[in-house]
Amino acid sequence: MEFSILSDTFDKMTRTQSRLELTALLVEAIKKTPKPLVSRVAYLVQGKLYPDFLGIEIGMAEKTVSKAIERAYGVESTAIQKLMRKTGDLGDVAAEISTQKVQQSLSSEKLTVEKVYSTLEEIAKTTGSGSANIRMNKLGSLLNSATNLEAKFLVRFVTGKLRLGVADFTVLDALAVAFTEDKKNRTKLEKAYNLTNDLGFVADTLANKGMKAIEKVKVTAGKPVRPMLAERMESEDEIIEKMNHDAAAEYKLDGERVQAHKTSDGNLVLFSRRLEQITHQYMDVVEALKSAAFKEFIVEGEVVAIDKSGKYRPFQELMHRRRKHGINQAMKDYPVVINLFDILLLEGRALIDEHYDERRKSLEDFLQKTKSKDRAMLVPARRVKDSSEIDSLMQESLSAGCEGLVVKDPKSSYTAGARGFAWIKFKPEYRPNVRDTIDLVIVGANHGMGRRAGFYGAYLLAAYDQEEDMFKTTTKVGTGFSDADLEKISKIIEKYRLPEKSPRVDAKVTSEVWFEPKVVIEIIASEITLSPIYTAGLDAVRQDSGLALRFPKFTGKIRDDKSPEDATTVAELLEMYQSQVRQFKSEKQEVQKV
Ligand code: ATP
């Protein structure tokens, strides 16, 4: 398959703001792709070579890429710098230089997707000393045969700036249409994706084995399962009602969610809430779980820092483990335990369709046969039948240093990748009148002034609209940031800067700078109001009005454990708004009674 088919598609994609058009372009490209290449195309359109959980990134430095351009086209570095100042994008620079190529191309061979992918794979796998030169030469050889459009997208790809605005769900939509002519099949593809977290695998299975094989996709040790998530509720009464007066209430521990996979070759890998590999951070947890007498399993739990007496410590203590060097000392100074709350696979048997009660039994059995009892344990849980029992467990949980409870339906299976009422989280701050935190995605910013000059001063934030797979704006926030926060966030966000609004962002307001929706921050607000300038929940409560936050303030927490799709959803904001209205009405009634 000629690579130009992809680079032409990429070019058209960069020119559209419409998600429907993006999907249509993808469908067209997938239909032109030979079946054995479909998985590679599924990764390439997202600027990847592999699923994220393998943690292999190509990440070439702009300096190395500039050198490759210099050599491939026989130009001076000053010419590149000059163009760079003009366009600000190394991909555009490569495209422009390749059109006025000084050096005649050594090869007139056309680039193919196979060739591009395998060379990029070689680049990704070449590491260690002396690797920069080899990587540069390999990229140079591709540039040498590339057309100007191909050069532009190759350069953007290797520098991690492809950014076509193609979300996972857009690819799933496109696959459904391309292979089954029916967008509704996306639900089945999504299920397979939720179980494997691997778009290339789903694409390959669909293309080469069909829908039947998609329906048979199972959880597999080594491929992270998208986590089951909880809805929130505000009172014990509401919760016990929803659970039909029989529920399993567990402590909600304040730590880091971890999914541990042991594969039959004896390897044990830990995945974060975002399903990235974090094995090296918690080698003590790895050791503890390796002491379980099983060959293959997937278990899930919350890793929590503890003090010498085994008491839980706050979430912030885990920050000491987020480092590359000195991890052995950090393990000694900041010990942790894993508190298991679920088991998804044991010795080749998928457990996700079994009821909570059965999974909990399997988990107990698992821990009985685990030697390291002080590092791996069960999350404290109790059966509750009325609201007073929930209340008393809540008091216990809070005094043990936890955040609250997760109340679970004993008859529920594990629904990967879904937020639902089979798990209900309950924290003291969910009670009405107490301000709750909201996790929102940075999509834009204005430059700071005065003391904030040089950084961004206010951020435009969006909630995630799950139905449309878009980010909808809901507030601008400029308070709550220390100088250090502003500096840190400005630095993190800079690499996601875009020349214009991302096609995944829906906004009516303008912004001086736009960003790819990537970074999630935690906000506290006094109230949710209606506003004509924001697009979250537009028309849901009132025609032409969206949901906005009143007095928003940054809490100091950058939620790097959350991907943008894990941010607070528009549906959740709407629920919060409605609960505010209910609260207001009942207060009014109270006043009238008095
Ligand atoms: P939050 O922002 O409240 O951490 P979240 O979006 O990360 O929420 P939710 O599913 O809404 O995830 O809330 C449950 C989270 O609470 C889990 O992701 C997990 O990290 C944590 N947790 C702590 N204890 C438990 C438990 N016993 N069962 C399930 N999750 C638990």
Side-chain angles (χ1 to χ4, degrees):
M1 178 186 183
E2 284 178 17
F3 184 59
S4 60
I5 298 181
L6 277 192
S7 58
D8 287 349
T9 306
F10 292 173
D11 187 46
K12 288 185 195 140
M13 286 173 127
T14 55
R15 291 170 203 280
T16 179
Q17 285 278 308
S18 140
R19 198 178 152 239
L20 279 178
E21 240 175 274
L22 273 184
T23 316
L25 286 166
L26 260 183
V27 169
E28 210 180 302
I30 294 172
K31 282 187 169 168
K32 287 184 193 155
T33 306
K35 288 182 176 174
L37 291 184
V38 168
S39 65
R40 276 172 263 184
V41 168
Y43 294 130
L44 288 173
V45 293
Q46 291 203 306
K48 298 173 189 169
L49 290 173
Y50 309 103
D52 286 340
F53 62 79
L54 291 183
I56 307 173
E57 279 181 26
I58 204 162
M60 283 181 87
E62 294 216 336
K63 233 165 97 191
T64 319
V65 178
S66 283
K67 276 245 153 59
I69 299 174
E70 267 175 52
R71 294 211 192 152
Y73 301 134
V75 289
E76 297 287 325
S77 64
T78 45
I80 294 180
Q81 283 158 12
K82 200 169 147 207
L83 274 174
M84 191 62 189
R85 277 194 294 276
K86 196 174 110 195
T87 65
D89 177 281
L90 203 53
D92 286 338
V93 172
E96 185 147 350
I97 292 185
S98 84
T99 31
Q100 1 154 323
K101 231 186 284 189
V102 177
Q103 194 165 287
Q104 264 309 309
S105 161
L106 295 177
S107 102
S108 53
E109 219 179 286
K110 276 191 178 161
L111 282 181
T112 62
V113 172
E114 293 89 327
K115 171 77 184 160
V116 168
Y117 189 91
S118 65
T119 312
L120 294 176
E121 254 192 327
E122 285 164 24
I123 294 177
K125 287 183 176 158
T126 308
T127 52
S129 69
S131 62
N133 238 332
I134 304 173
R135 283 153 65 90
M136 188 170 67
N137 289 337
K138 287 188 187 294
L139 176 64
S141 76
L142 287 180
L143 292 177
N144 227 293
S145 313
T147 63
N148 60 338
L149 268 189
E150 288 172 336
K152 172 176 181 164
F153 291 110
L154 277 172
V155 165
R156 286 196 185 162
F157 190 100
V158 296
T159 49
K161 291 190 171 154
L162 189 62
R163 297 186 190 153
L164 300 170
V166 183
D168 298 346
F169 296 115
T170 315
V171 180
L172 291 176
D173 271 346
L175 286 170
V177 177
F179 289 107
T180 72
E181 299 296 340
D182 187 356
K183 210 169 178 176
K184 278 200 233 91
N185 279 325
R186 157 171 149 186
T187 322
K188 287 179 184 157
L189 296 182
E190 202 176 315
K191 195 167 168 228
Y193 178 58
N194 284 337
L195 296 179
T196 57
N197 204 37
D198 186 344
L199 265 183
F201 168 78
V202 173
D204 186 59
T205 309
L206 179 64
N208 296 298
K209 298 190 185 136
M211 241 7 232
K212 284 236 151 62
I214 287 287
E215 286 168 36
K216 284 193 194 133
V217 168
K218 290 208 161 41
V219 279
T220 316
K223 285 185 189 275
V225 180
R226 294 172 76 78
M228 175 167 180
L229 300 169
E231 285 284 355
R232 60 178 98 188
M233 279 191 139
E234 295 158 9
S235 76
E236 297 86 342
D237 289 339
E238 251 185 317
I239 296 173
I240 207 69
E241 210 42 50
K242 190 95 189 165
M243 292 283 172
N244 286 327
H245 294 269
D246 181 22
E250 300 182 345
Y251 282 11
K252 186 175 194 303
L253 294 138
D254 187 16
E256 176 161 20
R257 185 173 187 158
V258 165
Q259 203 178 87
H261 288 234
K262 185 175 175 198
T263 40
S264 48
D265 59 4
N267 201 22
L268 204 145
V269 193
L270 304 179
F271 296 106
S272 69
R273 160 90 167 67
R274 302 185 62 163
L275 307 181
E276 288 166 344
Q277 272 199 40
I278 47 165
T279 316
H280 69 280
Q281 282 178 33
Y282 301 118
M283 286 313 287
D284 36 3
V285 171
V286 171
E287 283 314 307
L289 293 176
K290 274 192 173 168
S291 76
F294 298 95
K295 282 204 180 73
E296 194 192 29
F297 56 79
I298 306 177
V299 289
E300 228 181 5
E302 192 87 351
V303 168
V304 186
I306 48 164
D307 66 13
K308 285 204 181 74
S309 64
K311 280 211 189 89
Y312 302 133
R313 301 278 305 135
F315 161 79
Q316 284 79 355
E317 295 277 302
L318 293 177
M319 292 301 146
H320 299 289
R321 293 293 198 93
R322 293 210 184 158
R323 55 171 76 197
K324 286 218 169 88
H325 305 291
I327 193 80
N328 285 335
Q329 190 59 40
M331 274 198 307
K332 276 196 204 122
D333 297 343
Y334 304 97
V336 299
V337 291
I338 183 156
N339 297 270
L340 296 177
F341 55 73
D342 227 312
I343 181 158
L344 313 186
L345 178 111
L346 190 61
E347 305 297 50
R349 212 175 108 231
L351 300 175
I352 62 163
D353 292 327
E354 298 197 352
H355 286 173
Y356 168 88
D357 275 341
E358 285 144 23
R359 300 202 309 278
R360 178 90 184 178
K361 251 187 244 137
S362 299
L363 197 53
E364 281 166 4
D365 186 40
F366 175 88
L367 280 166
Q368 281 225 323
K369 294 181 184 132
T370 301
K371 278 203 192 115
S372 172
K373 305 252 180 268
D374 56 338
R375 288 278 179 255
M377 46 194 78
L378 264 182
V379 160
R382 194 182 300 153
R383 205 61 171 217
V384 289
K385 298 210 175 322
D386 60 42
S387 54
S388 67
E389 285 175 343
I390 297 187
D391 185 51
S392 78
L393 196 69
M394 174 68 114
Q395 299 316 322
E396 273 177 40
S397 148
L398 296 178
S399 44
C402 299
E403 287 185 306
L405 300 177
V406 184
V407 185
K408 300 183 176 177
D409 176 357
K411 299 262 172 311
S412 62
S413 49
Y414 188 98
T415 43
R419 195 181 283 284
F421 285 99
W423 287 10
I424 298 173
K425 55 179 173 177
F426 183 38
K427 295 202 236 172
E429 59 257 42
Y430 295 164
R431 294 202 168 104
N433 279 344
V434 184
R435 296 189 302 172
D436 187 16
T437 58
I438 301 171
D439 300 320
L440 296 172
V441 189
I442 300 180
V443 297
N446 288 347
H447 294 290
M449 289 189 288
R451 242 184 53 217
R452 294 180 168 187
F455 304 125
Y456 296 114
Y459 288 101
L460 177 63
L461 303 180
Y464 179 53
D465 187 325
Q466 225 166 359
E467 309 215 320
E468 292 179 35
D469 188 25
M470 294 275 286
F471 293 90
K472 307 271 178 103
T473 52
T474 183
T475 196
K476 267 189 185 163
V477 64
T479 53
F481 299 94
S482 67
D483 290 352
D485 287 337
L486 284 178
E487 189 178 343
K488 189 168 165 199
I489 298 177
S490 296
K491 232 185 231 160
I492 298 175
I493 199 82
E494 200 51 30
K495 52 176 184 284
Y496 301 116
R497 195 170 163 155
L498 295 174
E500 56 198 4
K501 186 168 68 63
S502 155
R504 295 191 71 201
V505 171
D506 183 9
K508 286 192 194 173
V509 287
T510 55
S511 181
E512 289 175 9
V513 181
W514 293 103
F515 298 105
E516 213 185 332
K518 281 280 181 201
V519 178
V520 182
I521 59 174
E522 192 180 75
I523 298 296
I524 200 152
S526 65
E527 203 185 339
I528 299 175
T529 56
L530 298 177
S531 152
I533 63 169
Y534 291 114
T535 56
L538 190 68
D539 297 338
V541 180
R542 188 195 294 156
Q543 194 66 25
D544 295 327
S545 285
L547 299 167
L549 302 188
R550 189 148 183 251
F551 301 132
K553 192 173 163 197
F554 177 54
T555 64
K557 245 192 202 174
I558 301 170
R559 293 291 312 248
D560 49 10
D561 60 328
K562 288 201 166 183
S563 72
E565 288 82 5
D566 296 326
T568 298
T569 60
V570 170
E572 284 177 285
L573 280 186
L574 196 59
E575 174 50 37
M576 287 178 204
Y577 175 81
Q578 279 154 351
S579 106
Q580 231 175 247
V581 173
R582 284 197 294 273
Q583 170 68 13
F584 178 69
K585 279 189 187 148
S586 74
E587 273 169 15
K588 230 164 82 183
Q589 276 169 359
E590 288 294 313
V591 172
Q592 277 164 357
K593 267 192 234 157
V594 175

